[in-house]
Amino acid sequence: MLYYMKSFGCKVNIAEEELIMSKLLSNGFTQTSNLELAEIMIINSCAVTETAAKKVEDYIKKSKDKLPHLKIVMTGCLANDKILKSTDNIDLIVDNFSKELIVENIITYLGCNSTENIIKILDDKSIFTGIVESDESKRTRNYFKIQDGCDAKCSYCIIPTLRGKSKSLDIDISVESFTNAVKSGYKEIVLVGIHIGLYGKEHGYNFTELVKRLIKVKGDFRIRFSSLEVNEIDDELINIMRDNQDKISAHLHIPLQSGSDNILKLMNRFYLKDEYINTALKAKEKISNLTIGSDIIVGFPSETDDDFNDTVKTLSTATTDFFHIFQYSDRIGTTASNMDNKIDPTIKKIRMKILQELASKRYQYLVNKSIGKTFRVLTEKGDKGHTDNYLNIHLNNTDIKPNKFHNVIINEFKDNKLYGDIIPN
Ligand code: SF4
């Protein structure tokens, strides 16, 4: 049977998409990149913001309007009866907790043509993960899911409701799977999860202990961390990153969300703005060429101009390099959705624009600083690659083999792209 896969959202969804596709393949399904040829479409959805959920809903409606015969299967964070507005146009819903069994559910559904919409089989203690073997051309980057769920209670966030409590892959199994990924040729392994800083908590170990074991694995690879909260980046982890730059990418994604202590408190976040600034500056001082990315929410309930200015100031002082900016939206059942003093959408838009301008200034600064410098680049398909500190580089050399580390000198920024030349060995 021909299927079409469509994933939305975060890197956890990318990791899970790989696992679902590998299971589909071993059960006789064939992937097509042409939706019109597909008999079944699998939607791996996202519900982190109102906009993200709407994007999924619109995509489903558009596809079913155009192709009424197409069977649509939905999983992911939006596949949950607490938040899904309508099941129209969807033939089968497999909620996140049962994602691991999605292929079995699809086969059952196709066999009996059940009209039962929500199928729930697993409890929320299982973690859907593994390393997918793939052909060499695809074997550059692997999103390795080591954790799922979250125990934090950020007042705006619906994810703990949709993904349950934190659960982690056993440390020995994590190391073994990681070793297999390296042996099978993956050169960049991104450790992903919903909240990887909680890795191992329920087993009595932590993320740093896992990293210490992974850097001892033999082979030619680099590790990247998907996202860590500022209170999870301690001196020990920073020193490990500093001392193992050949094995760990010089890049951290540290969500700030707001640079105002008042708003951080309302958000029920677990740090103050000064802790964010101090950790970011300390990490940059110790780890050469480190870049920092961040998530920021604008227009959280009660956010005043002064609060917003604090966010701008905090991001500038912390020298944050990459910004992911979201406008606050209510998520059903969260504490923030019941708060007063919601912010006018026009003000949210203005604040978003101010941050976008700051983001492009910060990026330009990073670009100027990088020209003339040499970085280690992992090549990807199409004569490009990423530096250890996550700059996307277009290579002037032609016929580059993907999945190789090269030293590259960055020499130009043109049409919003960075260009560089491989330095011959
Ligand atoms: S840490 Fe906060 S924002 Fe992140 S998933 Fe957990 S509850 Fe949501």
Side-chain angles (χ1 to χ4, degrees):
M1 175 169 258
L2 276 178
Y3 79 91
Y4 182 89
M5 183 92 201
K6 176 82 181 164
S7 272
F8 295 82
C10 66
K11 294 189 173 74
V12 174
N13 264 10
I14 299 176
E16 290 172 343
E17 175 191 80
E18 290 285 320
L19 296 165
I20 292 169
M21 293 201 302
S22 147
K23 247 181 129 173
L24 284 165
L25 181 69
S26 52
N27 279 280
F29 289 77
T30 308
Q31 191 189 8
T32 172
S33 54
N34 183 348
L35 181 59
E36 305 208 348
L37 295 180
E39 294 156 89
I40 185 164
M41 171 161 77
I42 298 152
I43 301 275
N44 195 13
S45 64
C46 171
V48 69
T49 60
E50 179 88 44
T51 317
K54 181 150 187 338
K55 212 164 136 190
V56 176
E57 285 157 0
D58 289 351
Y59 184 81
I60 289 175
K61 181 165 185 327
K62 216 171 98 197
S63 306
K64 197 70 168 188
D65 284 351
K66 196 170 163 203
L67 303 163
H69 68 278
L70 185 70
K71 297 268 181 230
I72 297 183
V73 178
M74 186 208 249
T75 189
C77 285
L78 190 61
N80 186 298
D81 48 3
K82 289 193 186 85
I83 51 161
L84 190 58
K85 286 194 187 131
S86 157
T87 56
D88 291 352
N89 301 318
I90 306 171
D91 297 283
L92 174 71
I93 298 174
V94 180
D95 82 8
N96 242 340
F97 298 125
S98 307
K99 210 176 208 176
E100 193 167 348
L101 297 177
I102 184 169
V103 179
E104 290 83 342
N105 279 328
I106 291 172
I107 293 167
T108 309
Y109 168 74
L110 293 171
C112 68
N113 221 1
S114 162
T115 50
E116 183 69 29
N117 253 340
I118 310 263
I119 298 183
K120 218 178 202 178
I121 298 177
L122 291 175
D123 62 24
D124 76 349
K125 290 196 179 60
S126 75
I127 169 161
F128 181 29
T129 185
I131 294 286
V132 173
E133 295 285 327
S134 71
D135 60 69
E136 188 150 14
S137 65
K138 289 187 185 161
R139 227 177 273 157
T140 298
R141 181 172 298 121
N142 181 273
Y143 292 101
F144 177 32
K145 186 176 155 199
I146 54 166
Q147 186 275 345
D148 203 340
C150 183
D151 298 342
K153 292 187 173 62
C154 301
S155 62
Y156 52 84
C157 185
I158 196 170
I159 299 301
T161 312
L162 307 178
R163 288 205 174 246
K165 284 193 170 306
S166 177
K167 50 234 155 200
S168 323
L169 187 63
D170 171 84
I171 194 160
D172 291 328
I173 297 173
S174 302
V175 176
E176 193 188 323
S177 299
F178 183 95
T179 308
N180 289 339
V182 172
K183 276 189 192 151
S184 74
Y186 288 110
K187 291 281 197 303
E188 178 174 291
I189 298 168
V190 189
L191 303 179
V192 304
I194 295 298
H195 191 152
I196 58 168
L198 294 180
Y199 175 84
K201 188 181 151 206
E202 74 278 29
H203 302 299
Y205 39 75
N206 65 27
F207 181 71
T208 305
E209 286 171 60
L210 173 66
V211 173
K212 283 201 267 187
R213 288 191 53 185
L214 297 183
I215 54 177
K216 288 193 194 133
V217 170
K218 290 206 173 11
D220 192 22
F221 64 86
R222 70 184 181 199
I223 305 170
R224 198 146 56 78
F225 309 149
S226 54
S227 177
L228 285 167
E229 299 290 350
V230 72
N231 55 310
E232 292 152 0
I233 303 169
D234 58 10
D235 286 353
E236 188 183 15
L237 188 62
I238 292 174
N239 291 342
I240 290 171
M241 289 181 74
R242 177 198 60 195
D243 298 340
N244 295 278
Q245 283 203 245
D246 58 328
K247 288 277 177 268
I248 306 174
S249 291
H251 174 72
L252 283 168
H253 187 88
I254 319 173
L256 172 67
Q257 309 302 10
S258 171
S260 151
D261 287 341
N262 298 331
I263 299 296
L264 286 172
K265 202 167 165 210
L266 285 176
M267 287 177 163
N268 202 25
R269 299 287 288 169
F270 9 81
Y271 50 87
L272 298 172
K273 68 172 183 228
D274 283 346
E275 290 171 65
Y276 188 93
I277 294 169
N278 293 340
T279 301
L281 293 180
K282 194 198 297 174
K284 282 208 169 186
E285 194 192 314
K286 290 196 172 185
I287 304 163
S288 56
N289 295 321
L290 180 80
T291 57
I292 294 179
S294 194
D295 298 328
I296 308 110
I297 297 173
V298 294
F300 188 82
S302 303
E303 185 187 65
T304 61
D305 284 345
D306 282 350
D307 291 321
F308 176 69
N309 290 337
D310 278 348
T311 298
V312 175
K313 222 164 121 192
T314 303
L315 288 164
S316 302
T317 316
T319 67
T320 309
D321 300 283
F322 305 110
F323 298 18
H324 290 185
I325 313 158
F326 303 89
Q327 292 185 36
Y328 170 81
S329 59
D330 278 340
R331 307 309 287 129
I332 296 166
T334 59
T335 311
S337 68
N338 294 318
M339 285 178 181
D340 296 330
N341 302 321
K342 295 280 162 57
I343 304 301
D344 188 280
T346 320
I347 294 176
K348 284 193 223 172
K349 269 193 203 139
I350 294 170
R351 290 180 183 167
M352 178 131 180
K353 194 153 177 280
I354 293 171
L355 281 193
Q356 281 165 339
E357 279 161 16
L358 177 63
S360 72
K361 274 191 202 145
R362 293 287 320 150
Y363 181 64
Q364 194 55 54
Y365 175 76
L366 177 63
V367 161
N368 295 344
K369 215 170 63 164
S370 306
I371 289 178
K373 277 192 180 176
T374 300
F375 293 86
R376 193 175 66 140
V377 168
L378 177 61
T379 54
E380 295 158 20
K381 265 188 173 170
D383 299 344
K384 60 187 176 71
H386 278 86
T387 60
D388 286 340
N389 65 351
Y390 210 39
L391 290 168
N392 190 4
I393 307 294
H394 294 258
L395 298 164
N396 295 319
N397 318 60
T398 47
D399 292 335
I400 316 281
K401 285 211 171 76
N403 208 22
K404 301 260 178 269
F405 286 111
H406 290 282
N407 285 328
V408 170
I409 180 155
I410 300 186
N411 45 30
E412 197 181 10
F413 184 64
K414 198 174 70 185
D415 302 331
N416 230 12
K417 288 177 189 161
L418 272 171
Y419 289 85
D421 286 305
I422 292 177
I423 300 174
N425 289 325

